[in-house]
């Protein structure tokens, strides 16, 4: 027996583990220096009250004979599936609960869903959230990278792809790491291409709450998307569930490959490998979609947006080219040099930890990601130090 050979294609270390180890070295050589973490995309504000209330109540129920819950249903409790369906109804997207699969994280499902398909080339933008790329490599799937560059506004389109081939197309909008969002017309073009070529789109909508421009919050708003697009959403970046873990995958009944239902294949796969999300967490997610819950996390999203505005102000003042920060918590800036070198110089001079663009793909060389998930105090300090550094 040997280890799956596809591991040889992966970098030795996951990007964020590499950053953590470099920061640990810096701490050792700079004892007492204050570090300003603008690297990892983890939220920092505590859960808002509607969600903690639901969590506490559901946990207490679990300690009573009547309120105890064992294994959750594979696809999620009906109360949460209904709440997700009504969240989508605001966009004019009609879903039946059986098309919604509750999960413990978008990363879990994005990393796993490729295994239900045979063949197909993965289409990924470069730079990209590493999970899309690395899980495609692990699955042994051929990959086509579309460079997201200043020239195409960091929004690659399918122009160079053949309509004679069918692809597994990963799209993420608003995007991590570039922070830019596709327009509705561009998403419609992707859907039209997928339909013409018999491809399937996997749409990562984790940052939809940050979209401030007009445009689709969901790929399912595009005409015909219900026949060719799977959407993955998460409670992580809006309601702050990165530590609680809850997400959902939407697979319409109308997606067929070779006459077979993709929804049924995903349902069957989940029944083999997944045992559901806990009752208290699903209750908290339900609360996050209540009117009060939405209002509470919108305030948090606005807080991170204001942080992004503060960082963007420094870049604008210094004339540094950048995108993002408007429809997403991330800013993607041109650092004008090797991005790991910029990472080290910035850390040494200011204690700011960002993410080297090249860690998200070759096309990210010369670019750098800053995250606005942090306290106002951290952002203000970082803005000041960054201003002096640049
Ligand atoms: N998708 C993107 C684009 C992300 O940036 C992240 C986390 O950073 C995730 C998915 C992971 O989401 P979850 O916490 O639901 O696993």
């Amino acid at each position: 027996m040997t280890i799956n050979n596809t591991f040889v294609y992966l970098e030795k270390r996951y990007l964020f583990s590499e950053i953590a180890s470099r920061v640990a070295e810096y701490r050792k050589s700079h004892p007492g220096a204050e570090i300003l973490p603008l690297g990892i995309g983890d939220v920092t504000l505590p859960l808002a009250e509607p969600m903690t209330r639901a969590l506490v109540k559901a946990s207490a129920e679990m300690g009573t004979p009547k309120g105890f819950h064992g294994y959750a249903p594979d696809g999620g409790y009906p109360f949460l599936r209904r709440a997700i369906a009504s969240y989508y109804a605001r966009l004019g997207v009609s879903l039946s609960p059986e098309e919604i699969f509750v999960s413990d994280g978008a990363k879990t499902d994005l990393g796993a869903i490729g295994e239900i398909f045979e063949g197909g080339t993965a289409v990924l933008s470069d730079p990209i959230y590493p999970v899309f790329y690395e899980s495609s490599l692990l699955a042994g799937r051929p990959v086509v990278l579309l460079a997201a560059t200043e020239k195409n506004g960091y929004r690659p389109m399918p122009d160079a792809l053949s309509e004679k081939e069918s692809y597994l197309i990963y799209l993420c909008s608003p995007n991590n790491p570039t922070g830019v969002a596709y327009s509705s017309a561009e998403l419609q073009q992707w859907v039209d291409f997928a339909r013409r070529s018999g491809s399937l789109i996997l749409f990562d909508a984790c940052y939809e709450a940050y979209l401030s421009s007009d445009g689709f919050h969901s790929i399912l708003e595009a005409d015909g998307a219900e026949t060719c697009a799977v959407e993955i959403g998460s409670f992580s970046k809006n309601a702050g569930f990165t530590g609680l873990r809850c997400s959902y995958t939407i697979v319409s009944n109308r997606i067929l490959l070779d006459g077979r239902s993709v929804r049924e294949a995903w349902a069957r796969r989940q029944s083999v490998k997944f045992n559901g999300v806990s009752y208290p967490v699903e209750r908290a997610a339900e609360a996050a979609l209540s009117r009060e819950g939405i209002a509470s996390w919108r305030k948090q999203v606005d807080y991170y947006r204001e942080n992004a505005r503060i960082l963007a102000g420094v870049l604008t003042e210094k004339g540094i080219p950048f995108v993002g920060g408007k429809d997403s918590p991330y800013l993607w800036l041109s650092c004008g040099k090797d991005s790991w070198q910029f990472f080290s110089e910035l850390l040494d001079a200011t204690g700011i930890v960002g993410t080297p663009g090249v860690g998200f793909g070759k096309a990210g060389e010369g670019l750098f990601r800053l995250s606005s998930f942090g306290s106002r105090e951290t952002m203000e300090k970082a803005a000041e130090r960054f201003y002096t550094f640049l």
Side-chain angles (χ1 to χ4, degrees):
M1 188 164 63
T2 59
I3 294 198
N4 186 339
N5 213 28
T6 54
F7 276 89
V8 301
Y9 300 121
L10 301 188
E11 295 288 336
K12 286 239 159 32
R13 248 193 198 157
Y14 185 57
L15 170 64
F16 295 105
S17 316
E18 179 63 36
I19 291 175
S21 120
R22 291 192 188 214
V23 172
E25 269 170 41
Y26 172 83
R27 269 189 214 284
K28 251 195 229 156
S29 55
H30 297 72
E34 187 190 24
I35 289 178
L36 300 176
L38 273 64
I40 296 189
D42 197 354
V43 294
T44 51
L45 291 171
L47 290 171
E49 211 268 331
M51 284 73 97
T52 51
R53 201 186 326 129
L55 204 52
V56 168
K57 180 167 175 279
S59 304
E61 274 177 53
M62 292 284 279
T64 64
K66 210 166 148 236
F68 173 74
H69 288 75
Y71 291 123
D74 287 340
Y77 284 100
F79 61 77
L80 180 53
R81 293 166 114 180
R82 279 195 301 270
I84 294 168
S86 63
Y87 184 63
Y88 274 77
R90 87 197 193 284
L91 303 173
V93 174
S94 162
L95 299 173
S96 76
E98 66 170 11
E99 294 172 310
I100 300 165
F101 296 84
V102 174
S103 182
D104 62 5
K107 184 172 181 176
T108 310
D109 287 7
L110 285 161
I113 197 162
E115 75 186 47
I116 69 170
F117 307 110
E118 200 166 299
T121 297
V123 171
L124 309 166
S125 64
D126 172 12
I128 190 146
Y129 175 55
V131 175
F132 302 155
Y133 180 60
E134 297 195 326
S135 59
S136 300
L137 294 183
L138 279 182
R141 179 161 275 121
V143 166
V144 171
L145 292 172
L146 303 180
T149 60
E150 195 183 349
K151 210 165 151 204
N152 58 26
Y154 299 97
R155 302 186 311 277
M157 297 302 295
D159 318 334
L161 301 174
S162 158
E163 291 191 6
K164 296 202 176 89
E165 225 185 294
S166 59
Y167 302 95
L168 196 54
I169 302 166
Y170 289 79
L171 295 179
C172 175
S173 180
N175 188 267
N176 176 15
T178 66
V180 302
Y182 280 110
S183 68
S184 304
E186 287 164 340
L187 288 177
Q188 186 64 58
Q189 278 178 50
W190 271 109
V191 167
D192 294 344
F193 171 80
R195 294 181 74 190
R196 286 196 304 271
S197 58
S199 299
L200 191 85
I201 295 175
L202 298 176
F203 188 77
D204 181 339
C206 287
Y207 295 96
E208 72 74 24
Y210 290 82
L211 192 69
S212 62
S213 317
D214 285 344
F216 292 157
H217 282 250
S218 160
I219 189 89
L220 301 171
E221 291 177 78
D223 290 338
E226 68 285 357
T227 63
C228 66
V230 167
E231 175 149 314
I232 291 104
S234 173
F235 293 92
S236 283
K237 308 299 167 106
N238 52 10
F241 276 42
T242 53
L244 274 188
R245 312 304 299 140
C246 196
S247 68
Y248 54 84
T249 290
I250 298 170
V251 193
S252 157
N253 271 318
R254 294 189 52 198
I255 310 179
L256 302 177
L257 284 180
D258 238 1
R260 290 164 67 197
S261 161
V262 171
R263 192 200 71 78
E264 278 172 24
W266 181 243
R268 190 69 187 90
R269 185 268 175 205
Q270 290 297 80
S271 71
V272 173
K273 295 196 180 179
F274 187 63
N275 241 348
V277 174
S278 76
Y279 174 71
V281 169
E282 291 202 40
R283 279 293 185 198
E286 179 194 30
L289 295 180
S290 67
R291 189 187 289 253
E292 197 192 0
I294 293 174
S296 71
W297 57 250
R298 282 219 192 283
K299 275 195 205 136
Q300 301 194 334
V301 167
D302 285 346
Y303 178 89
Y304 295 130
R305 274 215 196 101
E306 176 59 16
N307 283 351
R309 204 191 55 76
I310 291 170
L311 296 175
V314 175
L315 298 173
T316 307
E317 235 180 286
K318 289 283 183 171
I320 307 290
F322 76 98
V323 289
K326 185 168 158 283
D327 295 314
S328 111
Y330 302 121
L331 294 97
W332 186 240
L333 59 110
S334 187
C335 61
K337 56 173 72 159
D338 175 281
S339 54
W340 275 112
Q341 188 191 337
F342 185 79
F343 170 89
S344 302
E345 289 174 7
L346 183 66
L347 180 59
D348 273 345
T350 66
I352 296 173
V353 180
T355 315
V358 73
F360 298 101
K362 282 202 179 68
E365 188 51 285
L367 292 136
F368 201 74
R369 192 191 78 173
L370 291 177
S371 158
S372 67
F373 285 132
S375 69
R376 185 62 40 79
E377 195 193 347
T378 302
M379 292 307 132
E380 280 167 354
K381 270 191 197 163
E384 231 178 271
R385 293 188 200 174
F386 209 53
Y387 188 86
T388 326
F389 173 78
L390 288 172

